[in-house]
C-alpha cells in the first residue's frame, strides 16, 4: 500500500513537471518566429497564385468564346492564302561537328518528333511553352496540353545520345525549326515575368536574389546584361552560362553553328502567321494547328460542359500573338532610346542573324541555309575550355 502511494506521488510530480512550460532560449524563439513567418508567406503566395490562376481561367474562357469580327475573318483568310503560298526550301546535307563539350547545350532545348521528322529549338521567352506542347501533340501524347516543362519524359534530342543527335542535326530529311524574337522585347518580357509579375502571383521567388545575389530594378538588370563578362561562372554578361530566359538566342541549341541546317526560321513578332505557315508547309496544320488550342488555364485545358458551343478561337495562337506579360503594352515605359541602344549593342550577335538571313517580322519565314557569321562569338567566351568545347568550329577561319 505504501509503495502504491509512493508511485502515485512520483507520477503526480512527473505530470506537474511536464505541465510546466519549458523556457525557450533566444535562439529557439528566433527559429520559431522565422518558421512562422515562412509558413505565413507561403500561405499568402498560395492564395495569390490561386486568385491569379482563377482570373486567367476566366479570361481564357471569355476570349475563346468571343466572336470573330469581320476584320478578323478577312485577316484570317489573307493569312491562310499567304501561308499556302509558302513552301519549305529543300535543305542540303550538312556535316557540322558536335564539339567535345557541346552535346548538352546543342540538344537540351531541342524537342523532336520521330514520326514527322521534326526537331524544334525551343528558345525561352519565344513562345516555347506552346511549341513544346505542339511537339507532344505531334507525338500523339494524350496529355499534350498540360504543363510541358520539367516532364520526366521530355522528348529532347539530348535523350537520344550523341551519335543519333549528330545525325538528326545534319540530316536534311529532318525539318529543323526555330523562332527568333527581338532581343529588346524578349529581355523586357523576361524581366516583367520573372522579376515582377510572377513573384506578385506567388509563382517565383526574387530572380534578382536567386541569380545575381541582389535585388534588381530594370536599369540594374540591363546594366548586368550589358556587362562585358564572358566567364560563365558569373551571372553578369552574355555567355553559355547565362540564364536561359535571356541567354543570346544564338547560343541556344548551338544555333550559331547549326543554323545552316534549319529549314524554317520564323519570328515571334509574326508568331501566329509564321506558325501557321510552317505547319501548312509541313502538312500538319489541319490536324495539329487548326483546332484544340482554345481557352485554358496554365495547367489544364478547360473541359467543355455538355452541350456547350465549340470555342470560336481554337487555332494555335488564336487568342493572342503576345506573351501573357503583355510586354508590348508596357514597353514604352521601359524601352527608352538609351536602353534600346544598350540592349542592341549587348545582343549584336543576335541582330546579326536577323540581318544576314533577312529574318524580319514583316517578311516571310526564311531558311538558315545561308547563315555565315562575321565572327564566331561562341569561340570568344571566357574560359579556355569553352573554345575546346566547340571543336573544329573554333579552329576554322570565319
Amino acid at each position: 500500500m505504501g509503495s502504491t502511494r509512493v508511485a502515485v506521488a512520483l507520477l503526480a510530480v512527473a505530470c506537474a513537471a511536464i505541465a510546466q512550460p519549458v523556457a525557450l532560449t533566444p535562439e529557439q524563439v528566433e527559429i520559431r518566429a522565422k518558421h512562422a513567418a515562412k509558413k505565413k508567406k507561403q500561405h499568402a503566395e498560395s492564395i495569390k497564385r490561386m486568385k491569379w490562376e482563377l482570373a486567367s481561367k476566366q479570361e481564357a474562357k471569355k476570349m475563346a468564346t468571343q466572336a470573330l469580327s469581320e476584320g478578323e475573318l478577312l485577316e484570317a483568310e489573307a493569312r491562310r492564302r499567304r501561308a499556302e503560298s509558302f513552301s519549305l526550301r529543300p535543305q542540303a546535307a550538312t556535316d557540322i561537328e558536335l564539339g567535345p563539350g557541346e552535346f548538352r547545350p546543342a540538344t537540351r532545348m531541342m524537342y523532336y518528333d520521330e514520326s514527322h521528322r521534326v526537331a524544334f529549338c525551343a528558345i525561352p521567352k519565344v513562345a516555347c511553352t506552346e511549341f513544346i506542347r505542339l511537339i507532344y501533340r505531334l507525338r500523339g501524347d494524350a496529355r499534350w496540353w498540360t504543363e510541358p516543362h520539367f516532364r520526366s519524359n521530355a522528348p529532347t534530342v539530348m535523350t537520344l545520345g550523341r551519335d543519333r543527335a549528330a545525325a538528326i542535326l545534319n540530316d536534311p530529311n529532318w525539318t529543323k525549326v526555330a523562332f527568333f524574337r527581338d532581343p529588346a522585347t524578349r529581355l523586357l518580357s523576361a524581366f516583367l515575368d520573372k522579376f515582377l509579375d510572377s513573384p506578385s502571383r506567388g509563382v517565383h521567388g526574387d530572380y534578382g536574389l536567386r541569380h545575381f545575389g541582389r535585388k534588381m530594378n530594370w536599369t540594374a538588370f540591363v546594366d548586368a546584361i550589358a556587362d562585358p563578362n564572358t566567364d560563365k561562372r558569373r551571372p553578369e554578361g552574355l555567355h553559355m552560362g547565362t540564364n536561359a530566359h535571356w541567354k543570346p538566342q544564338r547560343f541556344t541549341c548551338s544555333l550559331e553553328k547549326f543554323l545552316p541546317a534549319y529549314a524554317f526560321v520564323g519570328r515571334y513578332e509574326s508568331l501566329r502567321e509564321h506558325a501557321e505557315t510552317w505547319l501548312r508547309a509541313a502538312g500538319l496544320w489541319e490536324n495539329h494547328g487548326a483546332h484544340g488550342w482554345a481557352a485554358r488555364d496554365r495547367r489544364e485545358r478547360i473541359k467543355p460542359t455538355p452541350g456547350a458551343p465549340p470555342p470560336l478561337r481554337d487555332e494555335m495562337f488564336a487568342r493572342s500573338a503576345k506573351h501573357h506579360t503583355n510586354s508590348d503594352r508596357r514597353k514604352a515605359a521601359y524601352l527608352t532610346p538609351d536602353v534600346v541602344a544598350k540592349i542592341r549593342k549587348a545582343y549584336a550577335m543576335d541582330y546579326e542573324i536577323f540581318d544576314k538571313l533577312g529574318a524580319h517580322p514583316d517578311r516571310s519565314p526564311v531558311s538558315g541555309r545561308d547563315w555565315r557569321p562575321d565572327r564566331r562569338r561562341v569561340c570568344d567566351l571566357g574560359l579556355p575550355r569553352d573554345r575546346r568545347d566547340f571543336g573544329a568550329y573554333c579552329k576554322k577561319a570565319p
Side-chain angles (χ1 to χ4, degrees):
M1 187 71 177
S3 60
T4 302
R5 290 178 178 175
V6 171
V8 170
L10 291 173
L11 180 61
V13 171
C15 290
I18 293 173
Q20 291 295 322
V22 178
L24 298 177
T25 65
E27 292 79 7
Q28 290 173 322
V29 172
E30 183 179 359
I31 290 172
R32 284 195 174 188
K34 286 183 177 180
H35 178 72
K38 181 179 179 181
K39 298 295 288 185
K40 184 177 180 180
K41 181 179 179 181
Q42 289 175 340
H43 178 71
E45 288 179 347
S46 296
I47 295 298
K48 285 193 295 186
R49 181 164 187 160
M50 286 189 291
K51 287 182 177 179
W52 168 62
E53 289 181 347
L54 178 60
S56 298
K57 190 172 184 177
Q58 292 171 340
E59 180 187 359
K61 279 186 175 180
K62 180 180 178 180
M63 187 67 177
T65 56
Q66 187 177 20
L68 294 166
S69 67
E70 183 178 351
E72 286 176 312
L73 292 172
L74 293 173
E75 181 183 349
E77 177 60 22
R79 184 171 59 248
R80 180 190 64 78
R81 290 196 301 269
R82 289 192 298 267
E84 288 180 342
S85 67
F86 177 89
S87 60
L88 288 169
R89 182 180 177 184
Q91 293 293 101
T94 54
D95 186 23
I96 307 173
E97 176 199 43
L98 265 177
E102 192 182 10
F103 171 60
R104 178 179 172 83
T107 60
R108 186 173 66 90
M109 294 303 295
M110 177 172 275
Y111 289 74
Y112 78 96
D113 168 41
E114 183 85 39
S115 61
H116 298 95
R117 292 195 172 187
V118 169
F120 187 90
C121 178
I123 301 175
K125 307 310 297 177
V126 190
C128 68
T129 298
E130 292 296 77
F131 280 122
I132 296 172
R133 282 191 175 110
L134 173 64
I135 295 297
Y136 278 111
R137 185 172 184 177
L138 292 174
R139 293 170 63 88
D141 190 308
R143 295 179 61 79
W144 65 269
W145 43 266
T146 58
E147 170 61 53
H149 299 289
F150 314 116
R151 286 176 61 168
S152 60
N153 63 336
T156 62
V157 174
M158 187 175 71
T159 63
L160 300 176
R162 186 183 189 86
D163 292 342
R164 181 63 176 145
I168 289 175
L169 287 167
N170 287 291
D171 188 345
N173 295 312
W174 275 75
T175 301
K176 271 79 72 176
V177 179
F179 274 68
F180 287 118
R181 184 177 185 178
D182 186 308
T185 56
R186 177 174 176 254
L187 186 66
L188 175 58
S189 178
F191 177 79
L192 294 176
D193 181 21
K194 305 302 179 185
F195 290 74
L196 296 183
D197 295 344
S198 291
S200 71
R201 299 163 179 157
V203 179
H204 295 300
D206 190 306
Y207 251 56
L209 291 174
R210 289 169 58 184
H211 292 281
F212 296 95
R214 60 191 184 277
K215 289 184 176 293
M216 304 186 79
N217 58 21
W218 169 240
T219 303
F221 179 55
V222 172
D223 287 342
I225 295 303
D227 190 292
N229 169 61
T230 57
D231 186 340
K232 62 186 177 184
R233 294 170 298 189
R234 290 177 51 205
E236 292 81 10
L238 297 172
H239 44 75
M240 289 299 295
T242 298
N243 183 285
H245 296 92
W246 53 87
K247 178 187 292 187
Q249 295 162 79
R250 181 172 177 144
F251 291 168
T252 308
C253 304
S254 277
L255 287 172
E256 173 167 314
K257 281 178 61 174
F258 287 96
L259 195 56
Y262 277 66
F264 189 98
V265 177
R267 285 296 298 261
Y268 176 91
E269 291 79 8
S270 297
L271 182 60
R272 188 174 180 185
E273 178 161 336
H274 285 190
E276 181 175 345
T277 299
W278 161 40
L279 292 176
R280 283 191 183 278
L284 302 173
W285 174 252
E286 292 302 328
N287 290 333
H288 303 285
H291 307 286
W293 296 88
R296 63 181 183 279
D297 60 20
R298 285 181 62 83
R299 285 188 173 78
E300 184 171 331
R301 187 161 300 281
I302 296 170
K303 298 175 178 60
T305 56
L312 300 175
R313 298 169 185 268
D314 206 21
E315 298 175 355
M316 191 176 188
F317 300 118
R319 288 195 301 146
S320 175
K322 295 182 176 64
H323 192 273
H324 70 273
T325 57
N326 290 320
S327 60
D328 284 349
R329 296 181 185 176
R330 303 158 74 177
K331 68 181 182 181
Y334 289 90
L335 296 178
T336 61
D338 290 344
V339 168
V340 170
K342 189 176 292 187
I343 294 173
R344 288 191 67 88
K345 182 178 179 181
Y347 285 95
M349 62 185 86
D350 282 351
Y351 285 108
E352 180 193 2
I353 289 179
F354 306 159
D355 293 338
K356 282 290 188 70
L357 295 182
H360 297 291
D362 56 347
R363 302 181 188 175
S364 297
V366 297
S367 162
R369 186 172 182 174
D370 299 324
W371 166 238
R372 299 291 184 276
D374 289 335
R375 175 177 163 189
R376 290 185 160 88
R377 300 273 181 167
V378 80
C379 303
D380 295 337
L381 301 180
L383 299 179
R385 64 165 293 178
D386 289 331
R387 292 179 65 86
R388 297 195 299 271
D389 283 349
F390 295 93
Y393 179 77
C394 287
K395 298 175 184 177
K396 298 175 182 176

